[in-house]
Amino acid sequence: MGDPNSRKKQALNRLRSQLRKKKESLADQFDFKMYVAFVFKDKKKKSALFEVADVIPVMTNNYEENILKGVRDSSYSLESSLELLQKDVVQLHAPRYQSMRRDVIGCTQEMDFILWPRNDIEKIVCLLFSRWKGSDEPFRPVLAKFEFHHGDYEKHLLHVLSRKDKTGIVLNNPSQSVFLFIDRQHLQTPKSKATIFKLCSICLYLPQEQLTHWAVGTVEDHLRPYMPE
């Protein structure tokens, strides 16, 4: 008999083969939970934590056109984008969320968070949890890091500031695991017109092979550092 890792790999390969024949994906076999934390530079200020209402897994590079548009805008290199698009990747799309603050009545809303101009945010952290579909087991943390630091997305935003694109702005972090979909809006003041960039959805990129890699700890353990008062 082969070792456990070899048997697990063979079983997953068989499952992937069956899923391809059925035009499904391994991601369709999981339920997902996602949380988004906006971590502030002032450590005395608690993070703004949101629970994503619906996590939508997509395997068919639906966002390929938007990603390659970033290449044309010189936001990132063609080589890195092609490498990403050719991988067996799961896209986890998050368009709606609700606040985790106890003093706010929970209501689901379209993602709408001002990212720029502001200098108080240190980074955006996404926490992903999953379990086999139909299971009664608790959600487990996916063993992957999803972070986007302020300095990295600000460079992108300053680059597109002089452009006329009103929608379709997509930013990616250096590891290309987090994609931010941004809306540009204009505020008219008595003296001038101000431009703001708002986050309208998030898409996480996860290699399909990592779907069965989990970290230790519960959902509560991993959310604790970001929980509001």
Side-chain angles (χ1 to χ4, degrees), residues 19-184:
L19 293 171
R20 278 194 290 269
K21 290 177 183 177
K22 295 165 64 177
K23 295 185 178 180
E24 295 180 1
S25 73
L26 185 59
D28 293 323
Q29 309 305 311
F30 292 89
D31 292 321
F32 295 95
K33 270 187 179 293
M34 187 191 305
Y35 297 84
V36 181
F38 298 89
V39 181
F40 298 103
K41 293 177 181 177
D42 183 354
K43 299 308 176 185
K44 295 179 181 178
K45 186 175 181 181
K46 295 295 291 184
S47 302
L49 181 65
F50 297 84
E51 180 178 1
V52 173
D54 301 295
V55 182
I56 306 168
V58 180
M59 285 295 298
T60 55
N61 287 326
N62 286 359
Y63 304 121
E64 181 174 355
E65 183 177 346
N66 281 325
I67 293 167
L68 293 181
K69 182 177 183 297
V71 175
R72 293 193 294 272
D73 294 344
S74 301
S75 297
Y76 35 93
S77 72
L78 175 61
E79 291 76 15
S80 63
S81 298
L82 289 178
E83 180 184 353
L84 178 68
L85 292 170
Q86 288 167 359
K87 289 180 180 177
D88 196 12
V89 173
V90 181
Q91 301 171 20
L92 297 161
H93 187 54
R96 304 165 71 235
Y97 61 16
Q98 63 182 25
S99 175
M100 297 286 288
R101 284 177 51 183
R102 295 185 178 91
D103 61 337
V104 175
I105 297 176
C107 61
T108 301
Q109 63 184 47
E110 299 300 315
M111 202 169 285
D112 182 19
F113 197 93
I114 295 176
L115 292 183
W116 193 91
R118 60 188 302 170
N119 290 309
D120 60 335
I121 298 175
E122 177 189 342
K123 60 184 176 180
I124 301 168
V125 177
C126 298
L127 301 109
L128 182 66
F129 304 86
S130 68
R131 66 183 179 190
W132 289 104
K133 193 175 290 290
S135 169
D136 292 329
E137 295 294 318
F139 281 89
R140 292 189 283 174
V142 174
L143 188 59
K145 188 175 183 179
F146 303 102
E147 293 187 357
F148 209 148
H149 285 260
H150 172 268
D152 291 321
Y153 68 71
E154 185 179 55
K155 285 188 295 186
H156 286 311
L157 292 175
L158 291 174
H159 177 77
V160 301
L161 186 60
S162 60
R163 303 181 64 88
K164 295 181 180 180
D165 311 60
K166 291 186 178 179
T167 59
I169 300 171
V170 187
L171 316 179
N172 69 285
N173 65 342
S175 64
Q176 299 193 61
S177 61
V178 182
F179 286 76
L180 307 181
F181 291 73
I182 306 294
D183 273 344
R184 181 203 301 258

Side-chain angles (χ1 to χ4, degrees), residues 58 188 222:
V58 180
Q188 186 67 52
H222 287 260

Side-chain angles (χ1 to χ4, degrees), residues 11-23:
L12 284 174
N13 286 338
R14 286 196 299 271
L15 178 57
R16 289 193 184 101
S17 177
Q18 294 170 1
L19 293 171
R20 278 194 290 269
K21 290 177 183 177
K22 295 165 64 177
K23 295 185 178 180

